[in-house]
Each structure stands twice: as structure tokens, then as C-alpha cells.
Amino acid sequence: MRLILPLPGNEAFAQRMADAGGWELGALETRRFPDGESYVRILSDVAGKAVDLVCTLARPDEGFLRLIFTADAARSLGARKVTLIAPYLSYMRQDRRFQTGEAVTSRTFARLVSSSFDRLITVDPHLHRYPALSALYTIPTNTLHAAPLLADWIAAEVRSPLIIGPDEESEQWVSAIAERAVAPWAVLRKIRHGDRSVDVDMPDLSEWRGRQPVLVDDIASSGHTLIEAARKLPLQGFPPPVIAVVHAVFADDSYSRLRALSQRIVSTDAISHESNAISIASLIAADLSATESAAERLIRGRRPPEPGDAVEQAGFDSSPASDPTPWTTDR
């Protein structure tokens, strides 16, 4: 049996997954103690079940300990295996030590996740210099791709599109989207000077004038590349572009700035955002269904579940964990 268990803020996505796969949707109670510590209680029966924790990691520092506590609680209560479903996977940026003394956080984060889960499923992680997630994670990983869904949306919603990618490294990805959408394509040349400083060199696109430009990218973080491209397209006689991205991070005011320069912005629901128009919940559900039997052979042994379902008595100086006082409640 499979239980889909959403972390706070992931309930709608988890519901779509559960509906797509015909699985049980679980429930979790969380809140914070006065000193900021997290309280976690799994309200569903996990014993003997494959438990999938659904948690997009767009802002990981806010709830990562809560995620780890939930995974550990599920295992101690008898879950058969615990999988992390992270539609967006964080801590992929710092993949080497650029300056003396820096933490290589991508590797540290991978070790922490690998120590708590049996398997990881994510969508279009920003790999940079890593050839695959297996170079980082010691647990089985599934990397799914949203490009076909972006292509299908473009083909259905945009008349006479011209697909434009953010940089030369995206050429293979962009060409695959264009082929599926039956459209011409081009890529920009991106010169990055820092996290928030990017120059964009726009090629001559005059042969496709009259088409609707569609800027595609795997992630819109600072949004600077997309903003610079959207500013330059009208200089070649094109209308404002449509923007289609997989991961809608849109830090600071980047979304409002980009919206002013574009016809429409759409994204997948890997990160909850007002631009969400393309659901990837069914993509993940299909992968879970297809690999369920194979994954059974890949479960690695961990500490056994705790005996029984006893509730331990707190000491005299302890605050009862079930104290309903609503200090700060996570919704």
C-alpha cells in the first residue's frame, strides 16, 4: 500500500498526485514550540506502507528539519520505505568551492537527504557540473523531465511559436521542446558576472519575424536572463514574449518586472506560484506506478521500527508534546 503524505504547503500538489495514482492521502500535524523547535505528528497509519513525503524544496531552510523529523517518525512507526518527492530540489548551486573556506552545500545537503530517505524523485534538477544526481546522492534517484509538458502547452496555446532558450548549454533541451511543438528554435548567449548580473547576446532572429517568441527555461530564479531577453526581442520587431519555465522561483520583484515585459508567464506546479498552468503531479504519479515493483528491490536496510505504538511518558521537567497551545501554527 502507498501513502502520499504532504508537508505543509504541499497539500494541493499531493492531492493531485494521490488522485492521479488512486492512492491514500495522509495527514500531518505540525507547529512550533515557543523556542522555535518543530513539533511533528503523523495522523495517518503508516505501518507496512510505502510512504511518499511530498515537499518542494524551493525554500528549504524554513522546513528541512521538519521534513527529516517526519521521515524518521514514519520509519519508526513501521513504514516499509520512505521516499522524498521533491518537485523542486534545492542546494544544487554550490557544486564546488569557489572561494577558500566555502561550504560545498550541494554535497552536504545530499548526504543529509540520503541518510533519511530510501529514494528521491525530483523534476529537472539544475545539475550544473554534476553529470547526474547519482554523483551526489547515495540512494536511488529518479530525475523526471517536464520538457514534453512545456512543449505540449506551447503547441496548444501559442500560435506560430518561436522557441528561444536562455543559453548555449540549453540547446539540446530547447531543440527537443521545439521538435515536439513543431516550431523553430534559437538560443541566446549568456554572460554571467554574478548571481544578479547577466548580459544576454541576442542572435539575429529576423528570418522568423512574424512568429510569437516563447522564452523557455528550467528555472526562473533572479529572472535576469529572461528579463534581458524580453527587453531585447522588441528591438528585432517581435511582440512581447510568452515565458514558459519549469521552476517558478521568481526571487524578489523579478516576477512583476518580467510580467511587464511579456504577454504571459506560465510555469509548472513544482513550486506553488500564481503563474502555475502546467501540472507535473501526474508525471510523478506515473513514475511511481511504473517503478513501484522495481523500487522494492532497491530498499536499503535501516534501523527497524520501534516496537509497538507506545506513547512514552514525559519527564517532570518536560513540556507535553501534545500541548494544544497554538504558539505558531504551520498551515
Side-chain angles (χ1 to χ4, degrees):
M1 295 179 63
R2 165 159 263 117
L3 177 72
I4 308 297
L5 187 60
L7 273 291
N10 297 269
E11 292 85 358
F13 188 95
Q15 181 69 69
R16 291 191 287 273
M17 269 187 58
D19 290 345
W23 300 308
E24 178 186 358
L25 183 69
L28 189 69
E29 178 186 348
T30 67
R31 62 173 182 268
R32 295 196 185 279
F33 288 101
D35 61 357
E37 291 182 0
S38 293
Y39 167 85
V40 173
R41 180 189 178 197
I42 300 174
L43 301 177
S44 306
D45 180 16
V46 301
K49 298 176 183 177
V51 177
D52 302 310
L53 299 190
V54 181
C55 184
T56 194
L57 292 168
R59 294 164 187 84
D61 292 8
E62 297 174 9
F64 185 69
L65 277 178
R66 181 172 54 196
L67 172 65
I68 297 302
F69 293 156
T70 306
D72 193 64
R75 194 178 312 285
S76 69
L77 292 169
R80 182 162 45 89
K81 63 176 179 178
V82 184
T83 297
L84 172 58
I85 309 291
Y88 175 78
L89 183 63
S90 56
Y91 283 108
M92 297 298 296
R93 178 178 289 105
Q94 189 85 26
D95 49 15
R96 69 175 182 174
R97 190 168 283 116
F98 297 93
Q99 300 182 65
T100 302
E102 286 184 338
V104 185
T105 51
S106 59
R107 293 193 176 278
T108 306
F109 189 77
R111 284 195 294 269
L112 292 171
V113 170
S114 296
S115 68
S116 297
F117 292 91
D118 298 299
R119 184 181 172 209
L120 166 66
I121 299 176
T122 190
V123 177
D124 288 319
H126 209 53
L127 289 170
H128 289 288
R129 297 171 187 84
Y130 295 119
L133 286 180
S134 58
L136 276 173
Y137 288 83
T138 58
I139 53 175
T141 59
N142 282 43
T143 297
L144 307 182
H145 303 286
L149 300 180
L150 262 62
D152 291 346
W153 184 90
I154 293 168
E157 300 292 335
V158 182
R159 183 178 178 182
S160 190
L162 166 63
I163 314 298
I164 303 174
D167 52 42
E168 292 144 316
E169 292 180 359
S170 69
E171 183 171 330
Q172 185 176 358
W173 185 71
V174 171
S175 63
I177 293 175
E179 181 179 0
R180 187 176 176 105
V182 191
W185 60 273
V187 293
L188 310 175
R189 181 170 175 266
K190 183 165 61 176
I191 305 169
R192 183 176 292 279
H193 303 292
D195 290 345
R196 299 175 183 272
S197 178
V198 176
D199 289 334
V200 172
D201 182 22
M202 181 79 64
D204 182 5
L205 304 174
S206 57
E207 64 178 296
W208 294 300
R209 195 168 294 143
R211 285 185 168 269
Q212 171 60 55
V214 181
L215 293 171
V216 296
D217 207 343
D218 61 340
I219 180 171
S221 184
S222 67
H224 285 292
T225 301
L226 293 169
I227 289 169
E228 287 304 305
R231 282 175 176 163
K232 291 185 176 183
L233 279 167
L235 301 179
Q236 293 199 26
F238 287 94
V242 172
I243 314 291
V245 300
V246 178
H247 299 299
V249 175
F250 289 120
D252 302 326
D253 63 346
S254 59
Y255 180 68
S256 60
R257 293 171 62 199
L258 189 58
R259 188 170 53 184
L261 297 167
S262 59
Q263 285 195 22
R264 184 178 180 184
I265 303 174
V266 299
S267 64
T268 76
D269 56 356
I271 299 171
S272 181
H273 190 266
E274 64 180 278
S275 63
N276 292 167
I278 303 167
S279 179
I280 60 171
S282 58
L283 175 71
I284 296 176
D287 179 76
L288 280 174
S289 296
T291 60
E292 189 164 16
S293 59
E296 290 293 332
R297 300 191 295 270
L298 297 174
I299 304 172
R300 38 180 230 173
R302 299 185 187 275
R303 69 175 170 82
E306 295 172 3
D309 192 23
V311 178
E312 297 178 0
Q313 295 298 316
F316 289 113
D317 296 328
S318 301
S319 298
S322 57
D323 187 343
T325 307
W327 300 297
T328 302
T329 303
D330 292 309
R331 299 293 183 186

